[in-house]
Amino acid sequence: MQEKITFDRFIRWAGVAALVVFVLAAVNYLSNVLLPFFIAWFLAYLLYPTVKFVQYRMHVRSRALSIIITLIAVIAVVGLVVYLIIPPMIEQFQKLGSLITKYIQTSANIDSIPGAIQQWLQENQQEIDRFFRSKDFTNSLQKAMPQLFNFLGQTASVIISIVASLITLLYMFFILLDYEYLTDNWIKIFPKKSRPFWHELMGDVERELNNYIRGQGLVALTMGILFCIGFTIIDFPMAIGLGIMIGIMDLVPYLHTFALIPTALLALLKAADTGQNFWLILLAAVAVFAIVQLIIDMIVTPKIMGKAMGLNPAILLLSLSVWGALLGFIGLIIALPLTTLLIAYYQRYVTRENEDETPYMPIPSQEAVATPKADKNSCEATDVEPKEGVNEEKLPENLAE
């Protein structure tokens, strides 16, 4: 029997919806401020098992020293990965620059490019002076100044992001310092009546986040290995380094597609270095991307993420798009766990699918229903006695004799 929607219930649901909209709008408005804190909490959540291992397994008494040791180890691992990726990439781009210079010198019959530029400036000095005094140059300068200020603003934003990264590390340090206290006592900000709900909610969040991190980590590892193998087969430059970089980028789903840009540059470098056709090299690299992506989407992701999160790959992509559009980078981080939670709570509290499933209760047999026998140490007999005859204890004394 369906419950009627009363006015009181309608007001409550409307209030909850308005509260959700207000929270999303506030998070979107304060995203620049909240982003370092959320990233710090997420990193603290990832590093806490390592900090706990260092403190209790390696017998480091101070929590602060355990955090510092963990950060040093993480920085060392990150530095090793950067060493495997960045120096070979710089070497490849330096080779590309030398090949471009050689090509220009050969095609234009120029021994020195700086000398050719200086000679051209001397020969065209009058035309250059006339151009600087013309209105075209003034108009071009007026159009270029806003772009220059925009570039300076972007530089300032980069500096601010670096400062925000330092603030993130500071947040993370203090969160790890009192991680147990924060995780055990955060629920006290809610009234006692609603604490069971929030405790259950955060338990579900932690479970889904663990499933997501493990699943996405396995997917990213598999993708990195497949790209290393594919690029090695086609003899692509920086095969191992590029595969590792793509695997790391895939920790955020579908971010690895931006790796097509350095892939195209490396294909150009190989074509200039070996004399092969650029389009054939690029086509081979794109074929590796397509084959690996098909393997990941058709086999790996459904097997790993489908079991871990219980979501269809189409729902995965849709949730990433929606939450990324709503909350930006924070949305990409929390998209899959939050989508899983919303679906689970919708089924639990709205459709109430679990209530329709009546648990199976076996019907007991007549032998199981029979009255159990009396214990030897019991003073009262529980067996069913036959009704034939009369109990001697209830007979008069003369009849009993």
Side-chain angles (χ1 to χ4, degrees):
M1 182 177 180
Q2 296 182 354
E3 298 180 359
K4 295 182 180 179
I5 301 177
T6 61
F7 181 75
D8 183 47
R9 181 173 296 176
F10 174 77
I11 293 297
R12 289 181 181 179
W13 282 105
V16 171
L19 180 62
V20 170
V21 172
F22 174 77
V23 170
L24 291 177
V27 170
N28 190 20
Y29 180 75
L30 299 174
S31 60
N32 294 329
V33 179
L34 295 176
L35 183 60
F37 180 76
F38 281 119
I39 293 177
W41 191 277
F42 182 69
L43 293 176
Y45 172 78
L46 294 178
L47 294 179
Y48 174 69
T50 307
V51 173
K52 192 175 178 180
F53 175 82
V54 172
Q55 184 177 6
Y56 295 107
R57 296 293 183 180
M58 298 178 64
H59 304 288
V60 178
R61 296 182 179 179
S62 175
R63 171 59 65 89
L65 184 59
S66 302
I67 297 171
I68 293 172
I69 293 173
T70 302
L71 290 177
I72 292 173
V74 171
I75 291 172
V77 173
V78 173
L80 179 62
V81 173
V82 171
Y83 177 76
L84 291 175
I85 296 175
I86 301 301
M89 187 173 292
I90 293 175
E91 182 181 356
Q92 297 293 334
F93 281 110
Q94 288 178 351
K95 186 183 293 186
L96 179 61
S98 63
L99 290 173
I100 292 173
T101 302
K102 184 178 179 180
Y103 174 77
I104 293 174
Q105 291 176 354
T106 304
S107 59
N109 295 323
I110 297 174
D111 296 331
S112 175
I113 294 179
I117 294 174
Q118 185 178 3
Q119 182 180 359
W120 182 85
L121 291 175
Q122 291 177 356
E123 293 176 355
N124 299 276
Q125 185 175 2
Q126 295 180 356
E127 286 80 3
I128 294 172
D129 293 338
R130 192 180 300 112
F131 172 74
F132 283 137
R133 294 174 183 176
S134 64
K135 293 181 179 180
D136 295 335
F137 175 73
T138 304
N139 295 331
S140 301
L141 187 62
Q142 291 177 354
K143 294 179 180 179
M145 288 304 293
Q147 298 179 358
L148 178 62
F149 286 120
N150 188 17
F151 175 75
L152 294 176
Q154 292 178 355
T155 305
S157 65
V158 171
I159 297 174
I160 292 173
S161 65
I162 294 173
V163 175
S165 301
L166 298 177
I167 294 175
T168 302
L169 291 177
L170 194 62
Y171 276 144
M172 182 184 67
F173 181 83
F174 287 113
I175 291 172
L176 285 172
L177 201 61
D178 295 321
Y179 189 85
E180 292 87 355
Y181 177 80
L182 293 174
T183 54
D184 293 338
N185 295 281
W186 65 269
I187 200 170
K188 292 182 179 179
I189 64 176
F190 300 103
K192 291 184 178 180
K193 185 178 180 181
S194 60
R195 285 178 187 177
F197 168 77
W198 290 105
H199 189 271
E200 183 182 3
L201 176 63
M202 292 311 297
D204 293 340
V205 169
E206 184 177 3
R207 184 185 67 252
E208 297 300 335
L209 192 59
N210 285 335
N211 293 335
Y212 169 71
I213 291 173
R214 293 171 184 172
Q216 190 62 34
L218 288 175
V219 171
L221 178 63
T222 306
M223 176 173 284
I225 294 173
L226 290 176
F227 269 108
C228 290
I229 295 172
F231 287 145
T232 304
I233 291 174
I234 65 173
D235 194 18
F236 201 73
M238 262 186 66
I240 305 298
L242 188 60
I244 294 174
M245 184 181 70
I246 293 174
I248 294 173
M249 293 174 68
D250 193 60
L251 290 173
V252 178
Y254 298 98
L255 187 64
H256 66 277
T257 53
F258 290 100
L260 285 170
I261 299 173
T263 302
L265 295 176
L266 290 173
L268 179 63
L269 173 63
K270 183 179 179 181
D273 191 16
T274 60
Q276 299 178 6
N277 192 344
F278 165 74
W279 296 109
L280 292 178
I281 299 173
L282 183 61
L283 183 62
V286 172
V288 171
F289 266 88
I291 293 172
V292 172
Q293 192 65 50
L294 284 175
I295 294 174
I296 293 296
D297 290 340
M298 296 294 184
I299 301 175
V300 178
T301 300
K303 293 292 184 181
I304 296 178
M305 295 302 292
K307 292 181 179 179
M309 307 298 297
L311 295 177
N312 186 274
I315 303 299
L316 295 178
L317 183 58
L318 179 62
S319 64
L320 290 170
S321 303
V322 172
W323 291 109
L326 289 175
L327 301 177
F329 186 73
I330 297 177
L332 291 177
I333 295 175
I334 65 175
L336 297 184
L338 195 57
T339 302
T340 306
L341 282 175
L342 288 177
I343 293 174
Y345 278 84
Y346 181 82
Q347 293 175 351
R348 184 182 301 177
Y349 294 107
V350 179
T351 61
R352 300 181 184 273
E353 293 184 2
N354 295 330
E355 295 182 359
D356 296 337
E357 298 176 0
T358 56
Y360 172 73
M361 298 293 292
I363 300 174
S365 60
Q366 293 181 357
E367 296 178 356
V369 177
T371 308
K373 294 183 180 180
D375 193 357
K376 293 181 181 180
N377 299 325
S378 176
C379 60
E380 294 180 1
T382 56
D383 288 344
V384 178
E385 298 290 340
K387 294 183 180 180
E388 297 179 358
V390 184
N391 194 348
E392 293 181 356
E393 294 180 359
K394 295 182 181 180
L395 293 176
E397 294 180 357
N398 56 358
L399 295 178
E401 291 176 357

